[in-house]
Every structure is written in C-alpha cells, then in structure tokens.
Amino acid sequence: MEKVIETRGLYKTFPRKGGSALTATHYCPGCEHGVLHKLIGEALADMELQDRTVVISPVGCAVFAYYYFDAGNVQVPHGRAAAVGTGISRTKNNAVVVAYQGDGDLASIGLNETLQAANRGEKIAVFFVNNTVYGMTGGQMAPTTLVGEKTETSPDGRDPLQTGYPLHMAELISQLQAPVYVARVSFSNMAKLKQARQAIRKALEIQRDGKGYAFVEVLMACPTNQKMNVEAATRFVAEQMEKEFPLGILRDRSADVRPLVRAESDYRKETLDRLLHLDTDRAPDAQLDRAAPTLQLKMAGFGGQGVLSMGVILARAACAAGKFTSWYPSYGPEQRGGTANCGVVISGQPVGTPMVTEADVLVAMNRPSLEKFAGEVKPGGWLLYAAEIGEFAAPAGVRTLAVPALDLAKEGGNPRAANVAMVGVLAGLDGFGLPDAAYREALAANFAGKAKIVAQNEAVFALAKRWGEAHRA
Amino acid sequence: MSEQAQPFELPYPAIDPLECKACGRCIAACPKKVIALGTKLNARGYVFAEYAGAGCIGCLNCFYVCPEPNAIAVHVKAKEAK
C-alpha cells in the first residue's frame, strides 16, 4: 500500500491571501516560517486538535499566519499575543492556544506581557521565531541580534556598548517558576529538525492536556534580510546563532504537573452587571433605534468644576432612557486644578467611538476650555458657557448661551452644583430625547446615599430647567 | 523482488513545479542527492527542483525542510498493519 506524506493542518489553498498565487505562501524563498507552519499544522492534525485550537498571528512576517492554519485564528497587535492568549485561554478553558511570535514582537514590545504570562503559567504554547532580525520592516536590529551582526540599524555590527547584548528569551523564561516546558530548537540539520518536531509536539501536548505554559524558541535564518543564500543562512544558524543561543530542552516538568483547572470563567451579562453595579432598573438594556440621531456632547473646564460628573449625569440619564451611551474622560494628572473634559455620546445604536471631535453640544465652564473647543461645535449646535467667562466671540452658525450656572446653583440651594445647573439648562433647552424621569434618576444615582444633596440637586435641576425652557431659541 | 515491479513500492517525492521557489533546501537535505534544480522556469518565474526519477529512499527530509506547504509530497510504502 502506498502512503502519501503531505502537509496537514494547513489549508489547501490560501484564499485570504488574494492575488494570483493562491496555493503559495507569502514568504520569501528559503524562509523557514513555512517549515514551522508545517510542523505545527502536522502536530495539530495528528493530535486532532484543530477544532480546539486558536492560533494567534503576530505582527511581523507571520502576520498572515491565519491565511494558512486550518484552525481558529486571531491576529493581534505587536507583542499582545500573551495578553490575548491569556484572555482566550481563560474564557475557553478547553482551547489550545498557540502564540506564534517573532523576536521583535515577543522580545521587544511584547517582553513584559510575555514574561508576565509565562510567570502566571498561562495555558499557551508559544512558538518564538528568533532570526536575530526584524524581517517584515526591512532588516532592523532586533533584541536578539548577535554582537557584531550587521543589520540596517547596526550597519557596523551590533555594538554592545551602544545596544547591549542579545536577549536570551528561553533562559529568561526558564528562570520563572510556572512554565512547564522551555526548549530551544533549530532546523539547521535534519537531526535538529527532528528534535524541533518533537519539542513542538510536546508543547502542544501540554496544551492538549491543559497543563500550562510551554515556550519553544526556534532559531531560524532570514535569508532575505541577512542577504545570504539558504546554504549560508543555515550555516549562520548552526555556527553563530547556536553558539550564542544553545539548543536544548531547558525545562520539562510535563510529567510532574497536573492539568491546570481554574474556576470556570463567568462572563454572563447578569454577572457582569452585578460586578459593575449595573443590576438596577436604572440601567436597562439599550434599545436599538437606528432612526434616532447620534448626539455628541462635550463638557470642559477646570478640574474640580464638576465637568466629569456633569457628563456622568447626562450619560446615566441616557442609560436610564435605554440609549446606547458612552462617557469618555480626559484629564491631567492633577487631582484638583488642571483642565478636564469629557465626551458623552448618546445614540440609538452601539457607539463606535467614544471620542467627541464634532460636538452637538459644548458646555464650557472656563475661558480656556471655551476657546479650545468652540471650533468643534457643529453648525446649529449648542455652545453653553459659564456666564462668569464674560464676552466671547462665538463661531458663526452656533447657538450660544451664557448660563448663570453658579447663580442658579446658589438659588437652588447648593452652590457647588453649577454642573447640575448646566444639566438642568440642557434639559430645559432641548432634552435630547431623554424624559424628565431619566434625568431625575441620574441625579439620584449620582449622589446615592446622600439624600440631602439629592434633594438640593433636584431643586437646582428644576430651577435650571425652567431657566433653560425660557431661553429656547 | 517481484514486488518492486509495482510502481508504488518505490518511494518518490512528488514535487509540484508550480509551487517550488527554488530555495534549494530539499537539494541540500537529500542524502541520496537525487533532487536538483532544473533549468526551466515555472509560471511564477522560478526554476524548480526536480527528482532524478530514481534513488529516493523515502527519508522525508525534503518534505520536512520544504517551506512551501504545497510543493512536496513524498509517496512511500505504507507500513504493514500489525
């Protein structure tokens, strides 16, 4: 009987790739990414793990690994595979998580997250491609570039006095207590390739059995950026890289550790609502209403003037009215003083971005904020500002109103509630499709437990609302 | 001896000329030196590796070192089921 040994665990064609060569990878001739892809795919197929597997594509030449792996796939920003892998692993306890990362991705921008995930013993098989150079971006120096190695950004060779020494990732990870398996392998001859194949299978077996963190560093050449043919590149791996980065199994605790079973993650909506104190009738589920306009509001002023809580009150009112709502603050490091602003988006459909750059309403509590943000108000929009600011040249086409918010607050019985007065004026001017009851609920919720303040704020709100109604355009 | 007369009894690499990128890894890895680069260009503009037609021992080296998933499949004799 005949048997055909062929690639498994990868797609037969790569339609996501597009272009004319749908059966070829996007990798350069001689690149070993394809070798590693085939070994991982073969192991996943042999172990029947494809339906449980999520392969995380990195940033780097393997950014399109999801073109190839016939498994679940996600692609993440630079260095974030450890964080996303943690999330996947913890939400899908049965998932086999494969993080496929290069030296720039893992050892530079992702170093922190990599070490933290390893230290937590996350259930992830990490395949770390170390080819001592940034491939996709054109051959810059990597954290693992050898001393003396020439790259685009170390044209005279890496100088340790300037840029330090190659990072030994496998050794670093092996210093930690939690990892189950740490190995460094290469493909520089057939015997080493077979050892690499075993290490890859071991790392995936550990995931199949849910035992914890496995890290396999794979030394590779990058013929293109190292400007070598395959023969010279392979020699470079064998004679120089392996001298700096010795091959071997640095740790294997797989026979000693038991499957890691964490408490079942509970991401049901009711659980999250309870955790976030949203399990009240003040925060009903938002109702889809695509015909409703999307409103963008911005509140700005000095820190301490209550602009952030002004936004919170409006956002809470919108939530109470069943609107899709976001509240997005921006403020300096100062606890008091400094400047602060927040954007509130109120919509009949899910909010795409919480950033407010074109405002239907601007509320400015001081002159710097007024001057800074007045230009962001849409034609026909409202520009409300504290009356104390005084004379102000308003942009054309904008409805401006100087609001005696402080006086209204004093008159209503709470001189600190100028922000509540502004909300009241907004409600009186327009209401923005939110019923009066929603505003009152929001006011009550914002000072819950302080009945006296709630009563004062109600009075300020009512007074300010009447003022607003009297000043409708 | 008569078994060898059946074509599938002898292992051989099936190299898809279209998928080869001419990197030469299979040539370097072949212990019997029965793979070589040809002289013709494929549709994608590469010369491509070709099997000499005899001498393959089914070691699979060429398959494992080949980075292109669809370029090489090795036909071998299946092990007898025990």
Side-chain angles (χ1 to χ4, degrees):
Chain A
M1 281 292 290
E2 186 191 56
K3 186 178 173 192
V4 181
I5 309 299
E6 59 189 343
T7 298
R8 284 175 303 135
L10 306 184
Y11 297 121
K12 295 285 178 211
T13 59
F14 315 126
R16 284 177 178 142
K17 180 169 169 282
S20 57
L22 294 180
T23 47
T25 66
H26 71 288
Y27 297 116
C28 303
C31 172
E32 289 172 316
H33 272 305
V35 179
L36 181 56
H37 284 18
K38 280 168 65 178
L39 289 174
I40 294 170
E42 178 193 64
L44 292 174
D46 281 351
M47 290 184 235
E48 298 181 354
L49 291 178
Q50 284 162 273
D51 288 344
R52 280 174 58 188
T53 297
V54 180
V55 178
I56 304 176
S57 301
V59 169
C61 291
V63 61
F64 296 131
Y66 60 85
Y67 288 170
Y68 309 116
F69 285 103
D70 186 2
N73 289 281
V74 291
Q75 195 281 325
V76 301
H78 316 67
R80 302 291 91 93
V84 175
T86 297
I88 295 168
S89 164
R90 290 193 179 213
T91 45
K92 292 282 179 195
N93 206 32
N94 196 39
V96 168
V97 181
V98 174
Y100 191 112
Q101 299 176 266
D103 41 56
D105 181 280
L106 181 140
S108 185
I109 194 169
L111 181 60
N112 172 27
E113 285 176 29
T114 295
L115 289 178
Q116 305 288 1
N119 193 43
R120 292 191 304 267
E122 297 298 342
K123 293 188 277 188
I124 306 174
V126 180
F127 296 109
F128 168 48
V129 174
N130 175 4
N131 58 13
T132 74
V133 71
Y134 279 64
M136 182 183 72
T137 49
Q140 294 84 358
M141 198 191 84
T144 53
T145 296
L146 304 184
V147 170
E149 183 180 347
K150 289 179 180 173
T151 70
E152 287 295 316
T153 49
S154 58
D156 297 324
R158 182 176 187 166
D159 175 3
L161 292 178
Q162 296 287 352
T163 51
Y165 296 86
L167 265 181
H168 287 218
M169 285 310 306
E171 284 81 355
L172 263 178
I173 295 208
S174 201
Q175 292 297 310
L176 303 170
Q177 201 167 329
V180 176
Y181 183 80
V182 181
R184 183 185 285 120
V185 299
S186 87
F187 303 145
S188 69
N189 66 32
M190 283 315 298
K192 289 170 187 167
L193 189 147
K194 282 172 184 160
Q195 286 161 0
R197 182 169 176 267
Q198 291 309 314
I200 289 160
R201 296 172 93 85
K202 186 66 154 182
L204 292 170
E205 280 168 16
I206 289 165
Q207 304 318 308
R208 176 195 65 196
D209 301 338
K211 287 184 171 177
Y213 192 83
F215 184 89
V216 179
E217 177 170 343
V218 186
L219 303 185
M220 284 188 189
C222 177
T224 298
N225 282 302
Q226 287 162 334
K227 301 175 178 64
M228 299 175 191
N229 62 21
V230 159
E231 194 188 340
T234 306
R235 209 163 47 237
F236 173 77
V237 173
E239 293 173 8
Q240 297 190 52
M241 287 182 69
E242 290 174 16
K243 202 165 132 197
E244 177 70 31
F245 303 112
L247 303 183
I249 296 167
L250 286 78
R251 157 189 313 215
D252 183 1
R253 299 195 298 121
S254 59
D256 307 325
V257 297
R258 305 190 64 78
L260 173 62
V261 180
R262 292 199 176 96
E264 189 75 15
S265 300
D266 182 359
Y267 293 101
R268 286 171 303 160
K269 184 176 183 300
E270 52 268 36
T271 310
L272 296 176
D273 281 355
R274 196 167 61 243
L275 281 170
L276 299 170
H277 308 295
L278 295 173
D279 53 341
T280 69
D281 49 10
R282 289 192 191 110
D285 289 345
Q287 300 300 311
L288 197 62
D289 176 9
R290 294 197 186 276
T294 293
L295 284 165
Q296 303 187 78
L297 305 98
K298 182 170 270 187
M299 292 89 200
F302 288 126
Q305 283 185 309
V307 292
L308 299 189
S309 53
M310 194 194 307
V312 170
I313 293 167
L314 267 167
R316 278 184 190 269
C319 283
K323 299 287 188 183
F324 290 89
T325 310
S326 69
W327 171 81
Y328 189 74
S330 168
Y331 46 85
E334 307 91 342
Q335 284 284 317
R336 296 287 184 275
T339 58
N341 73 76
C342 66
V344 173
V345 180
I346 300 173
S347 183
Q349 50 192 307
V351 176
T353 171
M355 300 284 288
V356 172
T357 50
E358 287 189 303
D360 296 284
V361 177
L362 171 67
V363 179
M365 298 297 279
N366 65 10
R367 180 171 286 277
S369 300
L370 183 60
E371 288 173 348
K372 184 172 178 187
F373 296 119
E376 294 184 6
V377 182
K378 289 179 193 169
W382 280 104
L383 197 169
L384 273 58
Y385 60 98
E388 300 81 54
I389 293 172
E391 287 299 305
F392 171 68
V398 169
R399 293 181 283 182
T400 56
L401 192 56
V403 179
L406 197 57
D407 293 341
L408 289 166
K410 283 178 187 163
E411 203 181 327
N414 181 1
R416 297 175 63 185
N419 58 346
V420 174
M422 278 294 190
V423 176
V425 171
L426 283 171
L429 279 175
D430 188 308
F432 303 105
L434 309 180
D436 210 49
Y439 283 103
R440 293 182 189 284
E441 273 200 41
L443 283 171
N446 215 43
F447 289 93
K450 295 176 183 168
K452 191 178 155 200
I453 296 177
V454 171
Q456 288 169 345
N457 285 347
E458 287 243 357
V460 172
F461 177 84
L463 194 68
K465 190 180 173 204
R466 280 197 298 279
W467 191 94
E469 284 162 354
H471 287 81
R472 277 181 185 165
Chain B
M1 294 297 278
S2 63
E3 285 174 354
Q4 287 187 358
Q6 296 178 29
F8 57 76
E9 291 296 320
L10 286 175
Y12 66 95
I15 303 172
D16 186 338
L18 178 65
E19 300 298 336
C20 179
K21 289 180 178 172
C23 74
R25 286 191 184 278
C26 57
I27 296 164
C30 178
K32 294 294 173 186
K33 301 296 167 210
V34 291
I35 306 176
L37 276 188
T39 52
K40 285 179 292 202
L41 294 179
N42 67 19
R44 294 175 187 156
Y46 294 106
V47 293
F48 48 90
E50 294 175 300
Y51 175 45
C56 174
I57 55 169
C59 71
L60 306 180
N61 282 8
C62 59
F63 169 73
Y64 280 111
V65 299
C66 177
E68 278 302 314
N70 296 313
I72 299 184
V74 180
H75 295 242
V76 296
K77 185 180 173 184
K79 285 184 182 136
E80 298 291 333
K82 282 179 185 169

